[in-house]
Amino acid sequence: MTLGFRIQRRTVTVDADIANRFANLPVANVSDSMSRLTAAGSRLRPFHEAGQTMAGPALTVKVRPGDNLMLHKALDMAEAGDVIVVDAGGDLTNSIMGEIMVYIAQERNVAGIVIDGAIRDADEIRRCGLPVFAAGVTHRGPYKDGPGEINTAIAIDGMVIRPGDLILGDGDGVLCVPMEEAEAVLAATEAKQAAEQKDIAAIRAGTIDRSWVDETLTARGCEFTD
């Protein structure tokens, strides 16, 4: 085994039906249902049209900062519905991907791309219709020499992502749900979403109960003065 320069095959992925059910749930609610402990960092921002969401199994890629050889190979390996997640070390010196690679991803019916690094051709990527998240933009292009890894565990700002884990994305950012926990997290998120819809209905009806605010302040020993 060659550490740092290897390509592996996924043996298991999150269930496709479960992934599809997550697609219409806010990432923020999923995050709340995971105790707010998991995040890919606020630097990963959407570079696509507002309103697009992303949900699918991770095809993981680890590259040397500024080099995209392994991302090219991952595009050739990608299956329909995959989310390609690239650990590029967060470096913004050279871009990892531009419009040509996005077009290839679309032809492969990829569900989205996450780059912990920079992209270029940002204006065209915004128009292309594919969810793309990245840490920044630079016009400087990538190298294509390697090394790198495909389908090994990676981490972005402490969020561990294994091949086949569920990757979600919307306007609030990117989140990984471990595949073995996806069903339980889905149930908790659907319950939270239903509760929020009841709260929104109560707000619009003028019947929302806000007593918890003063109760919490009192319990915390807050002093009220006139």
Side-chain angles (χ1 to χ4, degrees):
M1 180 181 295
T2 304
L3 295 177
F5 213 167
R6 58 183 174 173
I7 297 171
Q8 300 182 159
R9 297 287 178 182
R10 286 183 308 195
T11 58
V12 63
T13 68
V14 66
D15 182 79
D17 291 336
I18 290 178
N20 289 336
R21 288 172 64 184
F22 271 99
N24 295 319
L25 294 171
V27 170
N29 284 356
V30 182
S31 179
D32 286 352
S33 299
M34 296 174 67
S35 300
R36 305 183 177 109
L37 288 176
T38 302
S42 58
R43 293 188 314 132
L44 286 181
R45 304 310 305 159
F47 283 87
H48 50 263
E49 292 184 358
Q52 289 183 290
T53 62
M54 176 180 74
L59 172 57
T60 61
V61 185
K62 187 175 182 64
V63 301
R64 176 171 63 90
D67 189 288
N68 73 359
L69 175 62
M70 283 300 188
L71 177 54
H72 275 283
K73 179 58 180 176
L75 286 171
D76 292 341
M77 295 173 59
E79 300 176 6
D82 281 348
V83 175
I84 300 176
V85 187
V86 183
D87 173 8
D91 183 76
L92 304 181
T93 306
N94 294 80
S95 61
I96 298 299
M97 181 190 72
E99 61 181 324
I100 297 298
M101 298 180 80
V102 171
Y103 294 149
I104 294 172
Q106 285 182 304
E107 289 301 310
R108 303 285 298 184
N109 292 316
V110 166
I113 301 176
V114 179
I115 308 285
D116 186 22
I119 61 169
R120 67 176 180 176
D121 303 324
D123 290 341
E124 184 63 25
I125 287 174
R126 285 191 178 93
R127 291 190 289 264
C128 77
L130 180 72
V132 174
F133 293 80
V137 178
T138 179
H139 55 76
R140 295 178 63 177
Y143 301 99
K144 295 175 172 60
D145 304 302
E149 297 184 334
I150 297 176
N151 283 328
T152 58
I154 61 174
I156 298 176
D157 275 4
M159 184 177 75
V160 176
I161 305 165
R162 301 165 306 168
D165 280 344
L166 176 62
I167 303 297
L168 306 174
D170 65 13
D172 288 333
V174 174
L175 179 63
C176 175
V177 181
M179 69 182 86
E180 68 274 12
E181 299 174 7
E183 190 169 0
V185 173
L186 175 63
T189 306
E190 289 178 334
K192 179 175 179 58
Q193 181 76 350
E196 284 197 356
Q197 293 304 309
K198 289 182 180 179
D199 285 344
I200 291 171
I203 290 169
R204 290 174 174 165
T207 59
I208 189 70
D209 181 6
R210 300 284 294 165
S211 60
W212 71 268
V213 177
D214 285 345
E215 290 171 357
T216 301
L217 290 170
T218 299
R220 296 289 301 231
C222 179
E223 180 180 351
F224 293 82
T225 60
D226 294 330

